[in-house]
Amino acid sequence: MTSAPRRIVLDCDPGHDDAVAMMLALGNPAIEVLAITTVGGNQTIDKVTRNAQSVLAMCRREDVPVYQGASRPLVHRVESAPEIHGESGLDGVELPEPGAALRDGHAAVAIVDAVMGAKPGEVTLVGTGPLTNLALAVRLEPRIVERVAEVVVMGGGFPEANWTAAAEFNIWVDPEAAAIVFDEPWPVTMVGLDLTHQALATAEVEARVGAIGSPLSDFFVGLMGFFRKAYKESQAFDDPPVHDPCTIAYLIDPTIVQTRRAPIAVELRGEHTVGMTVVDLRGPAPEGTHTQVATTLDADRFWGLVEDAIRALSDAE
Ligand code: RIB
Ligand code: CA
């Protein structure tokens, strides 16, 4: 008897790796995507929202509702990442016109409605962009804290960083929102750069997925082609780290990701360290620690899940 799928709301900023997270979530039966919510991050809110709709069209899953969220962080100025994701936010591919209409209402309200409309412990929140919408949701309706099954965040590092010497992009863009999300007493799993830098899209991975030979697998290869060049030029990676789908793989099969319970604090005031995730690894975690960090990835099994998901979505075409 297979267990019921994990019901998730995916809050994201597509973004090449967000797009792969969407494909993995939509293509694996262990996940039910209740909604996609968007947040300004890799590109502006209008671009990432259109991109989310285009990825749903590519996956032929325009039944999944999309809600647009915050266009800017709670306090910080807006910061995008065209050097990594291009002007569109998904450079490297032809984007299909969004098919389904955007749903009315703010993403934060949609997150609250999804959690409060389900039984306690039924809905998991996944954040793969700046955490502005999740922070707004918990301020709007504090009761979601006791009802959410888990919050899984792609963000942070200990000590890996990519946007400054101390901070990872998602946390850097909105550190106040990240502090709110990490501080609330709900179960939080931080899938940071120390884990996601193990999820490298090698030429062999591209070839395996490309061999599926569908419009969606070609779309993946096109995305990875741009991502590879961008990461080589901006961060000297030979193969690009595909961060966001690691959160989904962890939910599909927790044995693919090793974790360690540890207190996490977000630096808000350091002259050189704003946005740093301060993970306290001194000895065993204190009683009641509600946060854990992902440490080690089984990369072969991870890429196997991605390949299987893209094949499943392709077969459904
Ligand atoms: O630092 C990597 C993270 O920032 C990923 O989620 C990427 O999509 C960007 O949002
Ligand atoms: Ca992202």
Side-chain angles (χ1 to χ4, degrees):
M1 170 67 179
T2 52
S3 56
R6 286 294 286 259
R7 306 177 76 205
I8 74 167
V9 175
L10 175 57
D11 188 76
C12 55
D13 60 338
H16 292 67
D17 50 334
D18 304 78
V20 181
M22 290 176 66
M23 294 176 203
L24 180 53
L26 295 165
N28 189 294
I31 303 290
E32 179 189 351
V33 182
L34 298 174
I36 299 285
T37 54
T38 61
V39 61
N42 285 323
Q43 261 301 347
T44 55
I45 188 65
D46 53 322
K47 291 180 180 177
V48 299
T49 303
R50 186 192 181 288
N51 291 343
Q53 292 181 289
S54 294
V55 173
L56 287 175
M58 280 306 302
C59 296
R60 304 169 75 86
R61 286 299 312 275
E62 291 155 295
D63 57 294
V64 177
V66 178
Y67 297 88
Q68 182 169 299
S71 59
R72 54 147 302 157
L74 299 181
V75 176
H76 268 214
R77 69 187 182 287
V78 176
E79 181 131 2
S80 298
E83 56 274 64
I84 301 283
H85 299 277
E87 272 316 303
S88 73
L90 279 183
D91 279 21
V93 289
E94 196 68 35
L95 288 169
E97 278 307 308
L102 201 51
R103 297 298 176 92
D104 290 338
H106 192 282
V109 174
I111 290 168
V112 170
D113 291 349
V115 175
M116 301 307 287
K119 293 195 188 78
E122 261 192 355
V123 176
T124 294
L125 302 181
V126 181
T128 63
L131 297 172
T132 318
N133 292 334
L134 271 64
L136 290 170
V138 75
R139 287 292 181 264
L140 202 58
E141 179 45 88
R143 289 179 299 168
I144 66 171
V145 170
E146 71 238 16
R147 294 176 75 96
V148 157
E150 185 175 8
V151 181
V152 186
V153 169
M154 191 281 131
F158 58 100
E160 292 281 350
N162 62 6
W163 212 251
T164 70
E168 176 278 327
F169 179 78
N170 287 337
I171 310 300
W172 160 259
V173 168
D174 200 338
E176 285 75 14
I180 288 170
V181 171
F182 282 117
D183 289 352
E184 287 297 331
W186 47 13
V188 179
T189 299
M190 181 181 110
V191 181
L193 296 174
D194 313 83
L195 190 283
T196 66
H197 282 174
Q198 301 168 52
L200 301 175
T202 62
E204 192 259 337
V205 163
E206 277 186 45
R208 270 175 35 202
V209 175
I212 296 170
S214 68
L216 186 61
S217 61
D218 293 347
F219 187 76
F220 172 88
V221 170
L223 287 175
M224 290 303 105
F226 181 89
F227 211 41
R228 170 183 301 282
K229 186 169 176 297
Y231 256 97
K232 180 72 177 167
E233 288 169 4
S234 67
Q235 295 187 25
F237 275 78
D238 290 331
D239 297 316
V242 188
H243 311 278
D244 294 335
C246 296
T247 60
I248 306 299
Y250 159 74
L251 290 174
I252 292 168
D253 181 352
T255 66
I256 287 185
V257 170
Q258 288 181 11
T259 59
R260 175 176 172 175
R261 198 154 293 285
I264 304 171
V266 179
E267 177 59 83
L268 299 178
R269 279 177 289 283
E271 183 182 350
H272 306 289
T273 55
V274 164
M276 180 178 182
T277 47
V278 182
V279 179
D280 189 347
L281 296 171
R282 292 169 303 164
E287 194 61 35
T289 299
H290 66 278
T291 50
Q292 60 177 5
V293 291
T295 56
T296 310
L297 177 73
D298 182 328
D300 289 343
R301 290 168 65 203
F302 166 75
W303 285 116
L305 286 179
V306 173
E307 183 186 345
D308 291 347
I310 293 174
R311 181 175 285 106
L313 291 167
S314 301
D315 293 345
E317 279 176 349

